[in-house]
Amino acid sequence: MAANRTILLLSVGHGCVDVYQGAVAALVPFFVAERAYGYAAASGIVLAASLLSSVAQPLFGALTDRRALPWLLPVSTVVGGLGVAASGLGGSYGLTLVCVAVSGVGVAAYHPESARVARIASRGSHTSMGWFSLGGNLGFAAAPLLVTAAVSGGDLRWTPVLVLPALAGSVLCLPVLRVLTDRAAPGTASSSLPEVADDVRSFVKLSVAVAARSVAFMGLGTFVALYARQRTGGGTAAGTAALTVLYLGGAVGTVLGGRLAARWDRVTVVRGAYLAGVLAVAGVVLVPGPSLYGCVALASGCLYVPFSLQVTLGQDYLPSRVGTASGVTLGLAVSVGGIAGPLIGTLADATSLRTALAPLVLMPAVSYLMARTLPEPPVHRLAAPPAVRLRQA
């Protein structure tokens, strides 16, 4: 199978998985409407999906650094889908938290291995990794539409329909698995990586930047649907539109990031995007009326221009621990922001949603300060571990 076809399949599969990260936030307005949850309780649902995922992704990354686990791709896709599909079936808040937490673990298991396989298949190409990341962004963007189509016509008992993308994604993984050879003698991934010193200090700075970016994006993702309804005076459709714009803006930003990195180096692009993100997020919080949607699109683009670039930067800062780097920069980048959700929700319950969202303006500034002193690392050509070598076309 040609490498570009492998990237395409991985990209589409990535989208099928990341539907479930977007679906949790997209379900929040329906939980609020049907079960009368407050802001803090609603954000706790996002936290449940994010917390275990945040802890588990680096652990799965470390595990895949020791041994290739390609079977994780279809299995984790199904687990992620089943958790969200079951989340609307019980009226118990605790059961809902357990279901979305299970989904979060499935998402956590998927990202490190898929990112490593994608990096091997792309031969270190920023553009190819951008397409891989784009698949996830499109999955995010599709989530509000899929959730609305499944739930708004009835009630939360229709959430089992949302398992369909997981089933499709798991099937799409199978051709990729068929081109991975498990016939080589067992060995570790790290033994076939180039012996280059890890730049741990730069990786830690990058991780802080990734975490701050995640707080900003997940904070917007959790509450922008409710906030758009307040600021525009619209109904559920107004909120769904804002969430869709947020996720589509991320898709555009990811593609733009890869193109900009071809002209300038990755760190320069990352710095500029975060600096522009400060103004864009401020616009979301402060601009009233329909203009809010333009600010949401701009903020999302600025926050996602660095997305795929952070993945390859992390891999190049830690060339001997690619799975761990991928687990932090690709997985943790999305999930850790959910941990701040309950704080935002509690503040919103005590004051107003606008006041609670205001601190998000500081997050891109923190990311910029962390990226300001990052060096541009050399691009390491990562060798596939013995159990993950791709057949050439």
Side-chain angles (χ1 to χ4, degrees):
M1 178 183 293
N4 59 350
R5 187 183 172 200
T6 302
I7 289 293
L8 177 61
L9 289 173
L10 287 169
S11 178
V12 177
H14 190 190
C16 291
V17 171
D18 278 5
V19 160
Y20 299 106
Q21 299 201 73
V24 173
L27 282 167
V28 164
F30 296 97
F31 283 120
V32 170
E34 187 168 321
R35 299 180 181 176
Y37 292 159
Y39 289 128
S43 60
I45 295 172
V46 179
L47 172 63
S50 301
L51 186 59
L52 280 179
S53 186
S54 298
V55 174
Q57 295 211 47
L59 297 179
F60 278 110
L63 182 63
T64 58
D65 278 335
R66 296 176 60 85
R67 182 170 298 277
L69 301 172
W71 56 266
L72 274 178
L73 272 62
V75 171
S76 60
T77 301
V78 172
V79 171
L82 287 175
V84 165
S87 66
L89 296 181
S92 165
Y93 183 69
L95 180 59
T96 301
L97 296 182
V98 170
C99 289
V100 297
V102 168
S103 178
V105 172
V107 170
Y110 175 85
H111 281 102
E113 183 71 0
S114 65
R116 183 170 55 160
V117 173
R119 180 69 186 270
I120 294 168
S122 69
R123 299 179 177 87
S125 167
H126 302 321
T127 301
S128 294
M129 287 300 292
W131 285 110
F132 170 69
S133 298
L134 174 63
N137 301 152
L138 292 177
F140 257 103
L145 301 177
L146 292 174
V147 167
T148 300
V151 177
S152 64
D155 55 36
L156 289 170
R157 286 178 295 178
W158 284 91
T159 55
V161 175
L162 296 173
V163 78
L164 294 178
L167 298 180
S170 64
V171 171
L172 289 172
C173 289
L174 299 181
V176 176
L177 298 185
R178 283 198 293 267
V179 301
L180 302 176
T181 58
D182 291 332
R183 299 176 183 175
T188 65
S190 59
S191 66
S192 59
L193 292 174
E195 295 184 2
V196 181
D198 292 336
D199 186 351
V200 176
R201 183 174 181 179
S202 293
F203 183 77
V204 169
K205 289 182 180 180
L206 177 67
S207 299
V208 173
V210 165
R213 172 255 174 219
S214 177
V215 170
F217 187 81
M218 288 297 289
L220 292 177
T222 302
F223 294 107
V224 74
L226 297 172
Y227 190 60
R229 293 170 66 177
Q230 289 182 6
R231 299 290 280 176
T232 65
T236 302
T240 300
L243 200 57
T244 302
V245 168
L246 182 76
Y247 293 157
L248 285 176
V252 174
T254 300
V255 174
L256 183 60
R259 292 184 178 276
L260 292 175
R263 182 171 182 178
W264 295 286
D265 63 79
R266 290 170 290 177
V267 172
T268 298
V269 174
V270 167
R271 289 172 188 157
Y274 280 137
L275 196 58
V278 176
L279 295 177
V281 175
V284 174
V285 176
L286 300 175
V287 171
S291 299
L292 169 73
Y293 293 103
C295 294
V296 169
L298 183 60
S300 179
C302 290
L303 292 173
Y304 260 96
V305 161
F307 191 76
S308 65
L309 305 182
Q310 291 170 157
V311 177
T312 58
L313 281 171
Q315 291 171 336
D316 288 334
Y317 287 139
L318 293 185
S320 70
R321 287 174 283 177
V322 174
T324 300
S326 301
V328 173
T329 55
L330 182 60
L332 196 63
V334 176
S335 60
V336 74
I339 297 174
L343 299 177
I344 299 172
T346 300
L347 181 59
D349 284 333
T351 56
S352 69
L353 188 52
R354 182 181 180 183
T355 300
L357 293 178
L360 297 182
V361 178
L362 299 176
M363 294 299 101
V366 172
S367 296
Y368 168 75
L369 291 175
M370 290 296 102
R372 191 172 61 88
T373 57
L374 286 178
E376 177 69 23
V379 176
H380 303 298
R381 185 181 179 89
L382 303 179
V388 197
R389 293 195 184 277
L390 295 173
R391 293 193 185 99
Q392 301 300 314

